[in-house]
Amino acid sequence: MTQDEQNQLQAILKSIKKADKIIIHRHVRPDPDAIGSQVGLAEIIRANFPDKTVLTAGSGSDHLKFLADFSGVQANEYDDALVIVTDTANIDRIDGRENIDFDQNQVIKIDHHPLDDPYGNLAWVKPSASSCSEMIADFYFAFEDSLTLPDNAARLLYGGIVGDTGRFEFPATTPHTMQVAGRLMESNFDHTDLLNQLYEVSPQVASLNGYVLDQVKVEDGVGAVVIDQAKLQELGLRDADTNAIVNVPRPIAGVLCWGIFVEQTDGSYRCRLRSKGPAINQIAKDHGGGGHPMASGAYAYSHEEIQAIIDQFKQAVKDFQS
């Protein structure tokens, strides 16, 4: 850890110690890393500073209730509050952002996405980290001589790391990631049970897995499949359920990047984009989205725009192989 990073962590801890009320946010449509980093940090602060009010903002997620549930934070609770936002690159993606007064509240950004949208009074941004949960664990380990780590915080942070590394399969996984995960496993939680909960799918989602494998079209190193509203309704699924099948095309030989295009109720398409080599986050930005070089999201408003994304993927594969 560099001296600059140590200074950032010291500044974050100083702000936490100074605040009487802390409200922690993360991004909309949360994944395990968003919830793990947000609530894991909240658990650490509550355990070490029991006199502080610590709230977690944002709407809940039905399929991740086993990690944490949310009851919401009222707008009038933000007066004189320190606001910390984890795992969220852009202001527009902060769940509950309408309640944050960026002129009045002190805002701290903790994130592992590329720094495309600087916000807040203090930012600790580390794109080389596997996950924001890894960063929160590093925050704790930097001060472990004076802080304690609750078992549930370790559980949440471990789950966030597992989620964003695809069970340690993705390129962002580093030796440091494995060291952090191992140290978290020393706490008292059942990591096997947690993994079972993270990767359990309903029979309906299992059917969608089969549909994706049957329908995916592979050409020039690119896999693509469109899931329309009729298929979702037939299986009794929602868009949120399709997050579980985003990596289904990954093992297919010859596929270097792929997109799963999910029709929304308004006729637009949510684009779940992944890669095993070519950087795709700029392509996502071209279509109203963003994310990591190997894992991004975007939006398309016609089949022509879906084809444009596929064509950009093909060019990215060609450039990557040249």
Side-chain angles (χ1 to χ4, degrees):
M1 186 178 294
T2 66
Q3 187 60 52
D4 284 346
E5 191 172 3
Q6 291 176 20
N7 292 340
Q8 288 175 315
L9 269 59
Q10 289 282 0
I12 292 170
L13 181 59
K14 182 178 179 180
S15 294
I16 290 171
K17 288 180 175 179
K18 184 178 179 181
D20 293 322
K21 182 189 294 182
I22 302 167
I23 302 175
I24 307 178
H25 287 251
R26 39 74 182 159
H27 61 72
V28 296
R29 295 187 294 272
D31 57 11
D33 186 37
I35 292 176
S37 58
Q38 176 197 25
V39 186
L41 177 59
E43 293 281 272
I44 292 170
I45 297 172
R46 289 176 182 135
N48 290 279
F49 306 100
D51 293 336
K52 298 184 184 297
T53 299
V54 183
L55 305 173
T56 51
S59 56
S61 170
D62 289 342
H63 72 288
L64 293 176
K65 278 187 176 180
F66 65 90
L67 287 177
D69 208 351
F70 298 84
S71 57
V73 180
Q74 301 303 311
N76 60 9
E77 297 186 89
Y78 284 76
D79 294 343
D80 301 318
L82 167 65
V83 174
I84 303 175
V85 184
T86 69
D87 197 36
T88 310
N90 308 311
I91 287 180
D92 289 345
R93 296 201 71 226
I94 300 173
D95 197 346
R97 66 190 181 282
E98 64 278 2
N99 292 327
I100 304 172
D101 188 330
F102 285 88
D103 295 321
Q104 297 297 321
N105 293 117
Q106 181 187 2
V107 178
I108 298 174
K109 176 182 183 179
I110 302 176
D111 188 35
H112 71 123
H113 297 87
L115 185 57
D116 295 326
D117 183 8
Y119 63 82
N121 311 95
L122 175 62
W124 177 31
V125 177
K126 190 174 182 178
S128 62
S130 72
S131 55
C132 198
S133 293
E134 179 182 309
M135 294 176 67
I136 300 301
D138 279 336
F139 172 78
Y140 162 72
F141 290 131
F143 304 109
E144 62 180 323
D145 290 342
S146 57
L147 299 179
T148 60
L149 179 67
D151 291 333
N152 192 44
R155 168 183 166 269
L156 288 159
L157 297 176
Y158 183 83
I161 293 171
V162 168
D164 254 28
T165 62
R167 289 177 281 194
F168 309 107
E169 291 181 5
F170 298 163
T173 306
T174 66
H176 179 71
T177 303
M178 304 302 290
Q179 291 166 1
V180 169
R183 295 188 68 183
L184 292 172
M185 288 176 67
E186 294 173 1
S187 296
N188 185 25
F189 69 92
D190 188 332
H191 70 278
T192 301
D193 181 62
L194 177 60
L195 287 173
N196 288 339
Q197 291 178 299
L198 280 170
Y199 290 99
E200 180 180 79
V201 298
S202 68
Q204 293 86 350
V205 171
S207 294
L208 187 61
N209 283 358
Y211 177 81
V212 169
L213 285 172
D214 182 62
Q215 296 294 315
V216 64
K217 296 179 180 178
V218 179
E219 187 175 291
D220 299 330
V222 177
V225 62
V226 176
I227 301 173
D228 59 24
Q229 276 291 308
K231 175 53 66 173
L232 291 179
Q233 291 172 13
E234 174 191 331
L235 295 174
L237 298 174
R238 300 169 299 168
D239 170 69
D241 298 309
T242 64
N243 185 58
I245 51 89
V246 68
N247 283 307
V248 169
R250 183 181 181 85
I252 299 174
V255 171
L256 284 181
C257 54
W258 63 96
I260 294 180
F261 304 93
V262 185
E263 186 180 18
Q264 307 297 292
T265 55
D266 64 358
S268 65
Y269 293 85
R270 185 172 181 194
C271 312
R272 301 183 183 275
L273 310 175
R274 297 295 185 268
S275 173
K276 292 190 289 188
I280 58 171
N281 53 330
Q282 184 56 55
I283 297 172
K285 291 178 193 175
D286 292 344
H287 299 274
H292 301 283
M294 304 295 138
S296 293
Y299 300 91
Y301 296 92
S302 65
H303 281 275
E304 288 75 17
E305 187 168 7
I306 290 174
Q307 187 59 52
I309 294 172
I310 293 170
D311 290 341
Q312 286 178 277
F313 269 25
K314 290 180 179 179
Q315 184 62 49
V317 168
K318 183 177 180 180
D319 294 341
F320 179 76
Q321 293 177 325
S322 63

